[in-house]
Amino acid sequence: LQPLNAARLYATALVDRDLGGEELTIAQRIDASLTSVEEIFKTLVDILRMDAGRLEPEIAPLPLRELFEALKVEFDPVARGKGLSLDFVPSSLWVRSDRKLLRRILQNLIANAIKYTPEGRVLVGVRHAGPAARIEVIDTGPGIPEEAHETIFQEFLRLDPRANPERGLGLGLSIVRRIARILEHPIEITSRTEPVGPGTRTGSRFALSVPVAAPVETRRLPDGHQSSAPAATGSAVVVCIDNEPEVLSGMKVMLEGWGCRVVAAADATAVARELREAGGPLPDIIVADYHLDEGTGVDAILALRDALGIEIPGMIVTADHSPEVQRRLRELSLTLLRKPLKAASLRAVINQAMR
């Protein structure tokens, strides 16, 4: 992922430039193509982690209302773009699940429903069935033949590519089944490929059974990916630590394009030396790769904090998905961002550090 991460940083810096005409179009197409490659890699890595038993869910009570609101914001523009109605039935139920993984399941189900429904609507709701909540995603698409109800969960399979001009990987439902098994949330499918009478339609229904939880007191936090005013980022002093020169260069180009002052080096010692020689303001945030030539990015952040005598906010950028790394970062309150790095997420973290 390192070369892809460097390419993404350069592409983002290019798109942010004051380009016009054909140059801007080319830059945007490069950016879009890299996004597609990132999605393929991310999905395949997720599948490998799940099959190896390396995905550790964080189970906790969560309100379906907030989850449905977020999904509505995410997918409503996509549905309207196809002339479809996307409706969520309000619910006050709480369930026990992993917030990110449950959202990932519903994202895939809703995206599929919108993609393969040429007209009509997609409906998302929940039924309270004893100790479980049945979260249902219902569409008015062409339906899925009963003999294909199992095969649709296989990798790289699309039943009829001619039915939809949009390109897909054929991995969405495979991810859904794997996550559902990890969370122990049974998933069922019912479908109708022919209308059964006047006023009826074809369509499919995916139902996910999730344990019901008692409501808990909670405080809604702002979305970590909602950036504040760009001016905050532009005044930041950012330390970048990475042992890959191309990644370091790409990060520097992108951040300086935002107006940041950047101190970039391969290790904490070099950064500390450069900061002392410059005699300028202390860093607002340290952005470090996890795997360095000597030690880890966590070691580098702790060493730099010790050398400067201040608890500077730190962020680790990595393609390492191991539970051990995640636990370590949580213990030290370090922010985690995945490779390939997304510019909007980085900007949001820098803005948070500035606040």
Side-chain angles (χ1 to χ4, degrees):
L1 286 174
Q2 286 284 49
L4 182 59
N5 190 47
R8 158 61 70 189
L9 295 172
Y10 283 121
T12 300
L14 194 58
V15 171
D16 286 345
R17 295 291 175 90
D18 188 19
L19 301 176
E22 188 177 356
E23 288 81 6
L24 177 59
T25 301
I26 292 172
Q28 289 172 335
R29 287 180 178 174
I30 291 171
D31 195 58
S33 298
L34 287 171
T35 300
S36 298
V37 176
E38 288 171 15
E39 186 59 32
I40 293 170
F41 272 117
K42 183 177 183 299
T43 303
L44 293 175
V45 167
D46 284 346
I47 287 176
L48 289 170
R49 290 175 62 216
M50 292 176 203
D51 289 350
R54 299 288 290 173
L55 190 66
E56 231 178 56
E58 298 178 18
I59 304 298
L62 62 98
L64 288 178
R65 176 180 58 83
E66 292 183 13
L67 182 58
F68 283 4
E69 287 175 356
L71 291 167
K72 175 74 171 177
V73 170
E74 181 178 357
F75 286 102
D76 195 54
V78 185
R80 283 190 282 106
K82 285 194 66 176
L84 302 175
S85 170
L86 175 60
D87 300 308
F88 286 78
V89 179
S91 175
S92 60
L93 278 178
W94 283 62
V95 296
R96 284 190 59 79
S97 187
D98 180 294
R99 182 184 297 269
K100 290 181 180 178
L101 294 179
L102 179 58
R103 177 168 176 165
R104 184 84 180 273
I105 289 176
L106 295 178
Q107 283 174 319
N108 280 321
L109 292 178
I110 295 169
N112 260 19
I114 293 173
K115 183 183 290 185
Y116 293 106
T117 301
E119 59 180 6
R121 71 189 298 216
V122 173
L123 176 67
V124 182
V126 60
R127 300 175 189 270
H128 194 169
R134 281 173 54 92
I135 305 173
E136 300 185 353
V137 178
I138 307 165
D139 65 59
T140 56
I144 302 168
E146 188 172 354
E147 62 271 17
H149 285 189
E150 278 299 313
T151 57
I152 57 172
F153 292 99
Q154 296 177 7
E155 295 92 343
F156 304 111
L157 178 71
R158 296 180 64 198
L159 291 183
D160 184 6
R162 296 168 299 177
N164 179 52
E166 296 183 50
R167 298 178 63 184
L169 302 177
L171 289 171
L173 289 180
S174 176
I175 288 285
V176 163
R177 168 160 284 184
R178 280 173 164 84
I179 297 177
R181 284 174 174 165
I182 290 169
L183 295 176
E184 298 181 354
H185 297 347
I187 187 166
E188 301 172 10
I189 173 176
T190 55
S191 193
R192 190 165 56 218
T193 56
E194 296 289 341
V196 295
T200 63
R201 307 186 70 160
T202 59
S204 300
R205 177 194 306 259
F206 287 83
L208 186 74
S209 294
V210 185
V212 173
V216 297
E217 288 292 326
T218 184
R219 178 172 61 92
R220 292 192 67 179
L221 298 175
D223 187 347
H225 293 286
Q226 296 293 325
S227 59
S228 61
T233 306
S235 60
V237 178
V238 183
V239 164
C240 297
I241 302 175
D242 201 303
N243 59 329
E244 291 286 341
E246 283 299 313
V247 173
L248 206 58
S249 174
M251 184 78 80
K252 196 169 189 294
V253 169
M254 183 177 69
L255 289 171
E256 287 179 343
W258 295 349
C260 300
R261 179 189 164 193
V262 182
V263 178
D267 55 62
T269 303
V271 169
R273 183 171 58 250
E274 186 171 337
L275 287 171
R276 282 196 300 269
E277 291 172 355
L282 289 171
D284 295 298
I285 188 169
I286 306 168
V287 181
D289 186 27
Y290 184 73
H291 292 287
L292 301 174
D293 289 337
E294 294 184 12
T296 69
V298 173
D299 300 329
I301 290 173
L302 296 179
L304 198 53
R305 285 175 172 179
D306 186 57
L308 298 175
I310 186 172
E311 194 82 359
I312 302 167
M315 177 177 67
I316 293 293
V317 182
T318 183
D320 190 325
H321 290 259
S322 65
E324 294 81 8
V325 171
Q326 295 177 49
R327 280 195 294 268
R328 177 71 170 146
L329 298 187
R330 281 197 300 269
E331 289 168 1
L332 295 170
S333 299
L334 296 175
T335 303
L336 168 65
L337 287 184
R338 301 289 186 195
K339 288 183 180 178
L341 185 62
K342 289 181 170 54
S345 299
L346 177 61
R347 188 189 286 271
V349 174
I350 294 174
N351 286 339
Q352 183 64 35
M354 295 292 286
R355 287 197 291 273

